[in-house]
PDB file of all heavy atoms in Angstrom:
ATOM      1  N   LEU Y   1      38.749 -30.319  20.617  1.00 98.00           N
ATOM      2  CA  LEU Y   1      38.789 -30.298  19.152  1.00 98.00           C
ATOM      3  C   LEU Y   1      37.933 -29.162  18.601  1.00 98.00           C
ATOM      4  O   LEU Y   1      37.081 -28.587  19.295  1.00 98.00           O
ATOM      5  CB  LEU Y   1      38.347 -31.642  18.584  1.00 98.00           C
ATOM      6  CG  LEU Y   1      36.939 -32.184  18.875  1.00 98.00           C
ATOM      7  CD1 LEU Y   1      35.849 -31.538  18.029  1.00 98.00           C
ATOM      8  CD2 LEU Y   1      36.902 -33.691  18.689  1.00 98.00           C
ATOM      9  N   ASN Y   2      38.151 -28.825  17.342  1.00 98.00           N
ATOM     10  CA  ASN Y   2      37.371 -27.792  16.669  1.00 98.00           C
ATOM     11  C   ASN Y   2      35.982 -28.337  16.337  1.00 98.00           C
ATOM     12  O   ASN Y   2      35.857 -29.444  15.818  1.00 98.00           O
ATOM     13  CB  ASN Y   2      38.078 -27.359  15.381  1.00 98.00           C
ATOM     14  CG  ASN Y   2      39.484 -26.852  15.639  1.00 98.00           C
ATOM     15  OD1 ASN Y   2      39.672 -25.730  16.097  1.00 98.00           O
ATOM     16  ND2 ASN Y   2      40.482 -27.684  15.370  1.00 98.00           N
ATOM     17  N   PHE Y   3      34.953 -27.558  16.599  1.00 97.00           N
ATOM     18  CA  PHE Y   3      33.584 -28.077  16.477  1.00 97.00           C
ATOM     19  C   PHE Y   3      32.681 -27.062  15.777  1.00 97.00           C
ATOM     20  O   PHE Y   3      32.769 -25.857  16.029  1.00 97.00           O
ATOM     21  CB  PHE Y   3      33.033 -28.385  17.870  1.00 97.00           C
ATOM     22  CG  PHE Y   3      31.626 -28.921  17.872  1.00 97.00           C
ATOM     23  CD1 PHE Y   3      31.339 -30.170  17.341  1.00 97.00           C
ATOM     24  CD2 PHE Y   3      30.595 -28.178  18.425  1.00 97.00           C
ATOM     25  CE1 PHE Y   3      30.040 -30.676  17.350  1.00 97.00           C
ATOM     26  CE2 PHE Y   3      29.294 -28.675  18.446  1.00 97.00           C
ATOM     27  CZ  PHE Y   3      29.027 -29.923  17.911  1.00 97.00           C
ATOM     28  N   ARG Y   4      31.837 -27.592  14.920  1.00 97.00           N
ATOM     29  CA  ARG Y   4      30.806 -26.771  14.280  1.00 97.00           C
ATOM     30  C   ARG Y   4      29.562 -27.613  14.058  1.00 97.00           C
ATOM     31  O   ARG Y   4      29.625 -28.842  14.052  1.00 97.00           O
ATOM     32  CB  ARG Y   4      31.308 -26.187  12.957  1.00 97.00           C
ATOM     33  CG  ARG Y   4      31.383 -27.186  11.821  1.00 97.00           C
ATOM     34  CD  ARG Y   4      32.030 -26.622  10.582  1.00 97.00           C
ATOM     35  NE  ARG Y   4      33.463 -26.854  10.584  1.00 97.00           N
ATOM     36  CZ  ARG Y   4      34.283 -26.550   9.572  1.00 97.00           C
ATOM     37  NH1 ARG Y   4      33.788 -26.001   8.477  1.00 97.00           N
ATOM     38  NH2 ARG Y   4      35.561 -26.800   9.646  1.00 97.00           N
ATOM     39  N   THR Y   5      28.460 -26.951  13.845  1.00 96.00           N
ATOM     40  CA  THR Y   5      27.187 -27.628  13.562  1.00 96.00           C
ATOM     41  C   THR Y   5      26.687 -27.189  12.190  1.00 96.00           C
ATOM     42  O   THR Y   5      26.613 -25.988  11.904  1.00 96.00           O
ATOM     43  CB  THR Y   5      26.131 -27.304  14.631  1.00 96.00           C
ATOM     44  OG1 THR Y   5      26.618 -27.724  15.904  1.00 96.00           O
ATOM     45  CG2 THR Y   5      24.819 -28.023  14.340  1.00 96.00           C
ATOM     46  N   VAL Y   6      26.360 -28.163  11.349  1.00 96.00           N
ATOM     47  CA  VAL Y   6      25.798 -27.897  10.012  1.00 96.00           C
ATOM     48  C   VAL Y   6      24.510 -28.705   9.883  1.00 96.00           C
ATOM     49  O   VAL Y   6      24.559 -29.895   9.557  1.00 96.00           O
ATOM     50  CB  VAL Y   6      26.785 -28.287   8.893  1.00 96.00           C
ATOM     51  CG1 VAL Y   6      26.170 -28.004   7.523  1.00 96.00           C
ATOM     52  CG2 VAL Y   6      28.118 -27.565   9.050  1.00 96.00           C
ATOM     53  N   PRO Y   7      23.364 -28.132  10.169  1.00 94.00           N
ATOM     54  CA  PRO Y   7      22.107 -28.882  10.045  1.00 94.00           C
ATOM     55  C   PRO Y   7      21.870 -29.321   8.595  1.00 94.00           C
ATOM     56  O   PRO Y   7      22.131 -28.557   7.654  1.00 94.00           O
ATOM     57  CB  PRO Y   7      21.049 -27.879  10.490  1.00 94.00           C
ATOM     58  CG  PRO Y   7      21.794 -26.852  11.289  1.00 94.00           C
ATOM     59  CD  PRO Y   7      23.143 -26.763  10.656  1.00 94.00           C
ATOM     60  N   ILE Y   8      21.386 -30.531   8.424  1.00 93.00           N
ATOM     61  CA  ILE Y   8      21.122 -31.020   7.066  1.00 93.00           C
ATOM     62  C   ILE Y   8      19.647 -30.923   6.706  1.00 93.00           C
ATOM     63  O   ILE Y   8      19.255 -31.336   5.604  1.00 93.00           O
ATOM     64  CB  ILE Y   8      21.604 -32.470   6.894  1.00 93.00           C
ATOM     65  CG1 ILE Y   8      20.820 -33.435   7.804  1.00 93.00           C
ATOM     66  CG2 ILE Y   8      23.098 -32.589   7.129  1.00 93.00           C
ATOM     67  CD1 ILE Y   8      21.029 -34.905   7.456  1.00 93.00           C
ATOM     68  N   VAL Y   9      18.813 -30.375   7.598  1.00 94.00           N
ATOM     69  CA  VAL Y   9      17.371 -30.317   7.345  1.00 94.00           C
ATOM     70  C   VAL Y   9      17.046 -29.572   6.054  1.00 94.00           C
ATOM     71  O   VAL Y   9      16.257 -30.070   5.230  1.00 94.00           O
ATOM     72  CB  VAL Y   9      16.632 -29.699   8.550  1.00 94.00           C
ATOM     73  CG1 VAL Y   9      15.141 -29.514   8.224  1.00 94.00           C
ATOM     74  CG2 VAL Y   9      16.808 -30.567   9.786  1.00 94.00           C
ATOM     75  N   PRO Y  10      17.612 -28.380   5.791  1.00 95.00           N
ATOM     76  CA  PRO Y  10      17.279 -27.706   4.527  1.00 95.00           C
ATOM     77  C   PRO Y  10      17.663 -28.530   3.299  1.00 95.00           C
ATOM     78  O   PRO Y  10      16.895 -28.591   2.321  1.00 95.00           O
ATOM     79  CB  PRO Y  10      18.088 -26.405   4.594  1.00 95.00           C
ATOM     80  CG  PRO Y  10      18.331 -26.178   6.046  1.00 95.00           C
ATOM     81  CD  PRO Y  10      18.489 -27.536   6.636  1.00 95.00           C
ATOM     82  N   MET Y  11      18.829 -29.163   3.322  1.00 94.00           N
ATOM     83  CA  MET Y  11      19.256 -29.992   2.190  1.00 94.00           C
ATOM     84  C   MET Y  11      18.351 -31.211   2.038  1.00 94.00           C
ATOM     85  O   MET Y  11      18.009 -31.620   0.922  1.00 94.00           O
ATOM     86  CB  MET Y  11      20.713 -30.438   2.393  1.00 94.00           C
ATOM     87  CG  MET Y  11      21.730 -29.322   2.311  1.00 94.00           C
ATOM     88  SD  MET Y  11      23.416 -29.906   2.665  1.00 94.00           S
ATOM     89  CE  MET Y  11      23.462 -29.719   4.439  1.00 94.00           C
ATOM     90  N   PHE Y  12      17.944 -31.769   3.175  1.00 93.00           N
ATOM     91  CA  PHE Y  12      17.069 -32.944   3.160  1.00 93.00           C
ATOM     92  C   PHE Y  12      15.703 -32.579   2.577  1.00 93.00           C
ATOM     93  O   PHE Y  12      15.172 -33.302   1.712  1.00 93.00           O
ATOM     94  CB  PHE Y  12      16.918 -33.480   4.588  1.00 93.00           C
ATOM     95  CG  PHE Y  12      16.000 -34.650   4.710  1.00 93.00           C
ATOM     96  CD1 PHE Y  12      16.408 -35.921   4.334  1.00 93.00           C
ATOM     97  CD2 PHE Y  12      14.710 -34.492   5.202  1.00 93.00           C
ATOM     98  CE1 PHE Y  12      15.565 -37.017   4.456  1.00 93.00           C
ATOM     99  CE2 PHE Y  12      13.852 -35.571   5.315  1.00 93.00           C
ATOM    100  CZ  PHE Y  12      14.276 -36.836   4.942  1.00 93.00           C
ATOM    101  N   ASP Y  13      15.158 -31.481   3.030  1.00 92.00           N
ATOM    102  CA  ASP Y  13      13.838 -31.074   2.526  1.00 92.00           C
ATOM    103  C   ASP Y  13      13.889 -30.799   1.027  1.00 92.00           C
ATOM    104  O   ASP Y  13      12.958 -31.169   0.284  1.00 92.00           O
ATOM    105  CB  ASP Y  13      13.356 -29.829   3.278  1.00 92.00           C
ATOM    106  CG  ASP Y  13      12.984 -30.130   4.725  1.00 92.00           C
ATOM    107  OD1 ASP Y  13      12.787 -31.321   5.046  1.00 92.00           O
ATOM    108  OD2 ASP Y  13      12.894 -29.175   5.526  1.00 92.00           O
ATOM    109  N   ALA Y  14      14.950 -30.144   0.570  1.00 95.00           N
ATOM    110  CA  ALA Y  14      15.067 -29.856  -0.862  1.00 95.00           C
ATOM    111  C   ALA Y  14      15.179 -31.148  -1.665  1.00 95.00           C
ATOM    112  O   ALA Y  14      14.545 -31.294  -2.728  1.00 95.00           O
ATOM    113  CB  ALA Y  14      16.283 -28.971  -1.116  1.00 95.00           C
ATOM    114  N   SER Y  15      15.930 -32.097  -1.174  1.00 93.00           N
ATOM    115  CA  SER Y  15      16.090 -33.367  -1.885  1.00 93.00           C
ATOM    116  C   SER Y  15      14.796 -34.167  -1.884  1.00 93.00           C
ATOM    117  O   SER Y  15      14.438 -34.785  -2.894  1.00 93.00           O
ATOM    118  CB  SER Y  15      17.208 -34.187  -1.229  1.00 93.00           C
ATOM    119  OG  SER Y  15      18.443 -33.510  -1.298  1.00 93.00           O
ATOM    120  N   MET Y  16      14.114 -34.173  -0.757  1.00 91.00           N
ATOM    121  CA  MET Y  16      12.839 -34.891  -0.681  1.00 91.00           C
ATOM    122  C   MET Y  16      11.810 -34.269  -1.618  1.00 91.00           C
ATOM    123  O   MET Y  16      11.027 -34.975  -2.280  1.00 91.00           O
ATOM    124  CB  MET Y  16      12.323 -34.887   0.749  1.00 91.00           C
ATOM    125  CG  MET Y  16      13.108 -35.782   1.697  1.00 91.00           C
ATOM    126  SD  MET Y  16      12.975 -37.535   1.275  1.00 91.00           S
ATOM    127  CE  MET Y  16      11.235 -37.819   1.623  1.00 91.00           C
ATOM    128  N   GLY Y  17      11.832 -32.934  -1.696  1.00 92.00           N
ATOM    129  CA  GLY Y  17      10.902 -32.269  -2.606  1.00 92.00           C
ATOM    130  C   GLY Y  17      11.186 -32.605  -4.055  1.00 92.00           C
ATOM    131  O   GLY Y  17      10.268 -32.737  -4.868  1.00 92.00           O
ATOM    132  N   ALA Y  18      12.450 -32.772  -4.392  1.00 94.00           N
ATOM    133  CA  ALA Y  18      12.813 -33.072  -5.775  1.00 94.00           C
ATOM    134  C   ALA Y  18      12.656 -34.550  -6.115  1.00 94.00           C
ATOM    135  O   ALA Y  18      12.320 -34.897  -7.256  1.00 94.00           O
ATOM    136  CB  ALA Y  18      14.258 -32.644  -6.029  1.00 94.00           C
ATOM    137  N   LEU Y  19      12.843 -35.440  -5.124  1.00 93.00           N
ATOM    138  CA  LEU Y  19      12.900 -36.871  -5.407  1.00 93.00           C
ATOM    139  C   LEU Y  19      11.722 -37.665  -4.855  1.00 93.00           C
ATOM    140  O   LEU Y  19      11.435 -38.765  -5.332  1.00 93.00           O
ATOM    141  CB  LEU Y  19      14.204 -37.460  -4.843  1.00 93.00           C
ATOM    142  CG  LEU Y  19      15.497 -36.872  -5.408  1.00 93.00           C
ATOM    143  CD1 LEU Y  19      16.707 -37.383  -4.635  1.00 93.00           C
ATOM    144  CD2 LEU Y  19      15.633 -37.209  -6.890  1.00 93.00           C
ATOM    145  N   GLY Y  20      11.070 -37.147  -3.820  1.00 90.00           N
ATOM    146  CA  GLY Y  20       9.922 -37.852  -3.261  1.00 90.00           C
ATOM    147  C   GLY Y  20      10.264 -39.229  -2.718  1.00 90.00           C
ATOM    148  O   GLY Y  20       9.553 -40.205  -2.982  1.00 90.00           O
ATOM    149  N   LEU Y  21      11.325 -39.345  -1.946  1.00 91.00           N
ATOM    150  CA  LEU Y  21      11.788 -40.644  -1.467  1.00 91.00           C
ATOM    151  C   LEU Y  21      10.977 -41.109  -0.265  1.00 91.00           C
ATOM    152  O   LEU Y  21      10.398 -40.304   0.475  1.00 91.00           O
ATOM    153  CB  LEU Y  21      13.265 -40.564  -1.075  1.00 91.00           C
ATOM    154  CG  LEU Y  21      14.223 -40.063  -2.151  1.00 91.00           C
ATOM    155  CD1 LEU Y  21      15.635 -39.946  -1.593  1.00 91.00           C
ATOM    156  CD2 LEU Y  21      14.204 -40.984  -3.354  1.00 91.00           C
ATOM    157  N   THR Y  22      10.982 -42.428  -0.050  1.00 89.00           N
ATOM    158  CA  THR Y  22      10.322 -43.022   1.111  1.00 89.00           C
ATOM    159  C   THR Y  22      11.185 -44.161   1.659  1.00 89.00           C
ATOM    160  O   THR Y  22      12.118 -44.624   1.000  1.00 89.00           O
ATOM    161  CB  THR Y  22       8.936 -43.598   0.749  1.00 89.00           C
ATOM    162  OG1 THR Y  22       9.111 -44.613  -0.251  1.00 89.00           O
ATOM    163  CG2 THR Y  22       7.995 -42.518   0.234  1.00 89.00           C
ATOM    164  N   GLY Y  23      10.848 -44.609   2.864  1.00 90.00           N
ATOM    165  CA  GLY Y  23      11.458 -45.814   3.424  1.00 90.00           C
ATOM    166  C   GLY Y  23      12.971 -45.724   3.558  1.00 90.00           C
ATOM    167  O   GLY Y  23      13.524 -44.708   3.989  1.00 90.00           O
ATOM    168  N   LEU Y  24      13.637 -46.817   3.168  1.00 89.00           N
ATOM    169  CA  LEU Y  24      15.088 -46.913   3.331  1.00 89.00           C
ATOM    170  C   LEU Y  24      15.814 -45.851   2.520  1.00 89.00           C
ATOM    171  O   LEU Y  24      16.840 -45.322   2.951  1.00 89.00           O
ATOM    172  CB  LEU Y  24      15.561 -48.312   2.923  1.00 89.00           C
ATOM    173  CG  LEU Y  24      17.025 -48.650   3.210  1.00 89.00           C
ATOM    174  CD1 LEU Y  24      17.312 -48.562   4.703  1.00 89.00           C
ATOM    175  CD2 LEU Y  24      17.360 -50.042   2.675  1.00 89.00           C
TER     176      LEU Y  24
END
């Protein structure tokens, strides 16, 4: 099958910086 990798770390860090989420 066709395969690619898209890391979500940059998107996660940006969201955490904007929202300050914890836990679940």
Side-chain angles (χ1 to χ4, degrees):
L1 60 78
N2 302 283
F3 180 67
R4 75 187 91 175
T5 301
V6 180
I8 64 167
V9 174
M11 292 176 272
F12 178 77
D13 289 343
S15 298
M16 288 295 293
L19 300 172
L21 304 176
T22 60
L24 188 60

